[in-house]
Amino acid sequence: MTAPDSTIVKQYLLDLQNRIVAALEQFDGEAFRTDAWDRPGGGGGITRVIEEGRFFERGGVNFSHVMGTGMPASATAHRPELAGRSFEAMGVSLVLHPRNPHCPTVHMNVRFFIALPPADDAAAAPIWWFGGGMDLTPYYPIEDDVRHFHRSCKAAVLPFGGEAEYRRLKDWCDSYFFLKHRNEPRGVGGLFFDDLGADSAIDFDTAFGLTRSVADSFLGAYLPIVEQRRELPYGERERDFQAYRRGRYVEFNLVFDRGTLFGLQSGGRTESILMSLPPIVKWRYDWRPEAGSPEARLYDEFLKVRDWC
């Protein structure tokens, strides 16, 4: 069994960020802004952001590598035995908000944690794990797009456990990206996994391989969708509904998202953490879509747990 190696993970994540940004810049036609930052408690990151691009209204592809002497509460909520351990965490996280409402918002993230043993326990071993996934948030119902995204997710997972593992990660995504206070999903799902390797049921090479497979499949899962839909016409009605649905995105990220909570609790760079929020958002009191409309179809047929492939 290969021992966990944070150096090769970091090298992979930096390359992943560069590859994704290069592809997105070519697609949009505008360059991403680059901000390198340091964290006072240890570590730092590289934020790559586009705002008011030709296609993306806002997007970010962030790398971070932070360390500290005590695990944040969001990282120990499900593993309280790790409270007080020093830690090292690194990852790439991206969110893309297109301007065209017919093009979905997308999120992808992969991350690696190591919780180091207490200094007074020489026999204890480091606890490490990978997490990540990707999910799609459409504003208008286009079934071919959702099926393509889910087929790409499935293909990334099948070599690492087959149909059963894909089903597990798909179901986990459906349950994770769910707004409990609204009793509705954030979007149409995709993949989600966490604690991969923490229970010793999977070795480092396999866990890292699955994580890479998911991350490397992102561009093929998303870019064909927006390439096909970027020129679809839209008007004030579609933009208004997009802004309303973006409100759900904000609610999830600020109330439930573990990555957002970890970043804020660990003293990460706030501007980088909150780049995931869309630039234009609206809330309405007790709004309901008109029966039979495309907006109603999104609720009735797409914001449901479904098998898409």
Side-chain angles (χ1 to χ4, degrees):
M1 180 183 296
T2 304
D5 186 343
S6 61
T7 300
I8 64 169
V9 177
K10 183 175 182 178
Q11 291 172 345
Y12 168 76
L13 293 172
L14 287 169
D15 177 67
L16 176 70
Q17 182 190 37
N18 286 333
R19 286 188 284 117
I20 290 176
V21 169
L24 296 177
E25 287 180 333
Q26 182 176 11
F27 176 79
D28 186 276
E30 298 287 346
F32 278 58
R33 170 181 172 179
T34 300
D35 281 336
W37 52 275
D38 294 318
R39 175 177 171 270
I46 303 171
T47 296
R48 308 288 300 275
V49 172
I50 186 170
E51 290 193 299
E52 297 301 329
R54 299 180 188 179
F55 175 79
F56 294 112
E57 194 165 19
R58 172 180 289 167
V61 185
N62 291 348
F63 166 81
S64 64
H65 179 201
V66 300
M67 59 283 297
T69 56
M71 297 277 285
S74 59
T76 59
H78 302 286
R79 305 184 71 86
E81 71 276 11
L82 300 182
R85 284 198 178 201
S86 57
F87 72 94
E88 182 180 2
M90 62 186 71
V92 165
S93 180
L94 70 81
V95 176
L96 302 170
H97 293 289
R99 185 177 293 102
N100 189 322
H102 297 294
C103 296
T105 285
V106 71
H107 158 261
M108 190 278 288
N109 138 336
V110 285
R111 56 194 179 273
F112 178 62
F113 283 79
I114 300 180
L116 301 175
D120 59 355
D121 188 352
I127 303 297
W128 59 267
W129 66 92
F130 288 90
M134 56 181 168
D135 68 291
L136 196 70
T137 305
Y139 303 99
Y140 281 89
I142 304 176
E143 189 161 330
D144 287 348
D145 295 351
V146 181
R147 291 192 180 278
H148 168 79
F149 187 82
H150 279 271
R151 284 195 296 266
S152 300
C153 290
K154 185 174 184 177
V157 176
L158 285 180
F160 299 90
E163 183 77 28
E165 183 67 355
Y166 165 69
R167 174 61 53 188
R168 185 176 79 91
L169 303 192
K170 191 267 186 193
D171 292 347
W172 199 347
C173 186
D174 287 335
S175 63
Y176 178 75
F177 290 106
F178 190 84
L179 288 85
K180 301 176 181 65
H181 62 290
R182 298 283 190 181
N183 194 33
E184 68 182 45
R186 184 172 82 172
V188 296
L191 299 170
F192 181 85
F193 62 95
D194 206 356
D195 301 324
L196 189 66
D199 59 2
S200 300
I202 186 172
D203 64 23
F204 174 81
D205 287 342
T206 304
F208 189 25
L210 171 59
T211 303
R212 293 197 312 270
S213 184
V214 170
D216 291 343
S217 71
F218 167 73
L219 290 171
Y222 183 65
L223 282 185
I225 295 173
V226 292
E227 285 170 348
Q228 190 168 3
R229 309 301 174 192
R230 67 184 301 171
E231 301 300 334
L232 287 178
Y234 62 89
E236 184 176 345
R237 171 187 175 131
E238 290 81 11
R239 281 285 282 174
D240 196 55
F241 181 64
Q242 179 193 48
Y244 174 74
R245 286 299 307 168
R246 281 174 169 178
R248 300 296 202 262
Y249 209 90
V250 172
E251 290 176 22
F252 182 88
N253 278 27
L254 295 184
V255 177
F256 298 111
D257 187 69
R258 293 182 195 172
T260 302
L261 296 175
F262 176 84
L264 296 174
Q265 292 173 359
S266 64
R269 183 173 183 257
T270 302
E271 285 296 307
S272 300
I273 297 164
L274 298 185
M275 68 83 194
S276 64
L277 302 182
I280 298 174
V281 188
K282 292 183 179 180
W283 279 267
R284 299 178 185 170
Y285 178 76
D286 200 27
W287 182 82
R288 297 287 189 275
E290 179 183 350
S293 66
E295 294 83 4
R297 186 174 174 232
L298 179 79
Y299 280 90
D300 296 340
E301 300 180 28
F302 283 65
L303 297 183
K304 307 287 185 182
V305 174
R306 289 178 53 178
D307 288 331
W308 293 99
C309 60

